Amino acid sequence: MDLRANTRAPCVALLSEVLDMQYLVPAFREACPDIDLRMGADLGPLEDIDAAVCWFPPHGQLAQLPKLTLVQSLAAGIDHIVADPALPRERPLCRIVDTGMAAGMKAYVTWAVVQQHRGMKAYVASSAAGQWQEQDVVSPRRYRVGIAGLGTLGMACAETLATIGYEVSGWSRSAKHDLPAGVTGFHGDAQLDAFLARCDTLVCLLPLTPQTQGFLDAALFARLPRGAHLVNVGRGDHLVEADLLHALDAGQLSAATLDAFSQEPLPPGHPFWGDDRILVTPHIATRTDRLVIAQQTLANLASLQQGQRPANQVDLERGY
Ligand code: NAP
C-alpha cells in the first residue's frame, strides 16, 4: 500500500473497554511505521482520528469522533460494536475476513466434533488410569454434523468435515448454490426442522443478531436427535444457558463444547464449570492475526480515502 499519497500519516484509535489494545501497537507500527495511534482515556484531539479499531468500544466514544472515516471490527463479528446505541451508523463498518482465522476455526470445530464422535474424553480418563479400553469406532460417514451459519467460517468448517468423511449439512438464511462437495444445504425457517433432525453434532456459527439471539434454546434442542452434542462457537447470547442444563439433565443433549459465553470470563461458581458434560474453552476457537488486523484496517482506510468501497463492509440493515 502506498501511503505517501496521503498528506499525513493515518490516525487510528484502538478502542475497547474490555481488552488492553496495546497488543496491537507493534503490528500497526510494522504495517505503517509513522502511524499516529491513540488509545486509553485521553485520545488527544478527536478531529485527527481517521479510523477506529474496535472490540467492545466504550458506548458513545465513536460518536465523538467528528472525522471518523472507518469503523473496523478487529474480529469477524460486529455485535460488540452495534451494541453501542450511539453508533454513528452512517460511517462504514468493516469486519475481518481472513483465511488464517478460518483455518483456526476449522481446526477447533474439527477437534470438537472428533473428540465427541470418537469418545476422546474417555481415553483421557483411561490413559490416566493405565487402562486399555476401547470405545466404539463408528465411521464418520455414520456421524451427522450440522453447521448453523454457512458464511465464511461455517462454509470452511463444513468443507473440512465433509473432506474427512463426516455427513455434513449446513443451514443459512439464503439458499446456497456453491456448496462444497458432500455438504447438504438447508435455508430459512421452513427448512430448520429438517436440518436439525440430521445433527448428531450441531455447530453454531451464526452471527449474533436480534434474529439469532437465544437461537439455542429448549425448543431447538427438542428438535435435535436425542443425545445430540452442541458446539457453540458463535456468541454466548446465542445460547439460553438454563435450557442447555435442562436438556443435558433430560438426556436430550449428551454433551456441549462451548467457546463463547454471555459473560466472559465465565464467572467462578458458574454451573458450567466442573460439569463433566460440558467442555469450556475461553473464547479461543480462533484469533485474528494482529498484522492482518493492521493491514486490513489500513487498506480499508486507504480505499475509503480514495472514494472506493472497503473490503468486508457490513450491511447494517441485515445486521451481519
Ligand atoms: P458470516 O460470513 O457473516 O456468515 C454468517 C452466516 O450466518 C451466513 O451463512 C448467514 O446466512 C447466516 N445467518 C445469519 N443470520 C441468519 C438467520 N437469521 N438465519 C439463518 N442463517 C443466518 O460470518 P462468519 O465470518 O462466518 O462468522 C460467524 C460468527 O462466528 C461471527 O459472527 C462470530 O460471532 C463467530 N466467531 C467466533 C469466533 C470464536 O473464536 N469463537 C471467532 C470468529 C467468529 P446467509 O449466508 O444467507 O447470509
Side-chain angles (χ1 to χ4, degrees), residues 113-114 117-118 140-141 143-145 161-162 164-168 182:
V113 169
V114 172
H117 159 232
R118 300 298 300 269
R141 302 225 173 275
Y143 194 87
R144 301 163 300 176
V145 183
L161 289 162
I164 60 173
Y166 284 97
E167 187 182 322
V168 181

Side-chain angles (χ1 to χ4, degrees), residues 85-102:
L87 175 71
R89 295 174 69 90
E90 71 287 359
R91 309 289 165 86
L93 167 57
C94 297
R95 69 192 192 99
I96 300 289
V97 174
D98 171 51
T99 52
M101 179 159 43

Side-chain angles (χ1 to χ4, degrees), residues 50-54 62 65-73 78 81-82 87-95 296-297 300-305 307-316:
D50 302 308
V53 175
C54 302
L62 290 164
L65 308 179
K67 300 276 176 57
L68 193 64
T69 302
L70 167 68
V71 181
Q72 176 72 54
S73 170
I78 48 98
I81 297 174
V82 298
L87 175 71
R89 295 174 69 90
E90 71 287 359
R91 309 289 165 86
L93 167 57
C94 297
R95 69 192 192 99
Q296 291 196 12
T297 301
N300 282 339
L301 179 60
S303 295
L304 286 162
Q305 287 172 337
Q308 294 161 7
R309 199 178 156 76
N312 307 311
Q313 184 171 350
V314 172
D315 176 349
L316 282 173

Side-chain angles (χ1 to χ4, degrees), residues 8-245:
R8 62 173 175 82
C11 180
V12 176
L14 307 176
L15 306 181
S16 176
E17 60 180 4
V18 296
L19 205 61
D20 181 356
M21 300 291 265
Q22 191 70 37
Y23 86 103
L24 287 174
V25 170
F28 271 92
R29 294 227 181 283
E30 183 179 337
C32 179
D34 56 351
I35 192 168
D36 179 359
L37 286 174
R38 310 277 178 88
M39 74 191 89
D42 180 10
L43 294 177
L46 300 182
E47 62 278 12
D48 295 346
I49 295 172
D50 302 308
V53 175
C54 302
W55 178 251
F56 290 95
H59 287 184
Q61 205 168 27
L62 290 164
Q64 290 167 6
L65 308 179
K67 300 276 176 57
L68 193 64
T69 302
L70 167 68
V71 181
Q72 176 72 54
S73 170
L74 61 68
I78 48 98
D79 47 290
H80 54 100
I81 297 174
V82 298
D84 177 355
L87 175 71
R89 295 174 69 90
E90 71 287 359
R91 309 289 165 86
L93 167 57
C94 297
R95 69 192 192 99
I96 300 289
V97 174
D98 171 51
T99 52
M101 179 159 43
M105 189 58 85
K106 287 192 281 190
Y108 181 98
V109 168
T110 303
W111 160 79
V113 169
V114 172
Q115 58 87 17
Q116 174 68 18
H117 159 232
R118 300 298 300 269
M120 293 302 181
K121 263 192 206 167
Y123 295 120
V124 173
S126 61
S127 175
Q131 290 169 349
W132 182 273
Q133 200 160 3
E134 293 177 21
Q135 303 298 315
D136 274 354
V137 179
V138 175
S139 164
R141 302 225 173 275
R142 297 171 65 83
Y143 194 87
R144 301 163 300 176
V145 183
I147 315 271
L150 275 181
T152 312
L153 300 176
M155 197 69 98
C157 293
E159 181 171 27
T160 300
L161 289 162
T163 302
I164 60 173
Y166 284 97
E167 187 182 322
V168 181
S169 311
W171 181 73
S172 50
R173 208 170 65 139
S174 56
K176 297 284 167 235
H177 306 290
D178 55 350
L179 287 167
V183 177
T184 306
F186 296 85
H187 67 277
D189 291 344
Q191 296 185 3
L192 181 57
D193 281 3
F195 164 73
L196 292 173
R198 307 166 47 121
C199 298
D200 295 318
T201 285
L202 170 67
V203 179
C204 177
L205 261 169
L206 292 165
L208 185 64
T209 66
Q211 291 72 40
T212 65
Q213 179 150 7
F215 174 72
L216 303 170
D217 67 358
L220 179 138
F221 298 148
R223 289 135 83 194
L224 292 169
R226 189 161 176 82
H229 166 226
L230 172 70
V231 177
N232 187 18
V233 274
R235 290 285 186 254
D237 285 349
H238 283 130
L239 175 65
V240 180
E241 294 185 347
D243 288 6
L244 171 62
L245 292 169

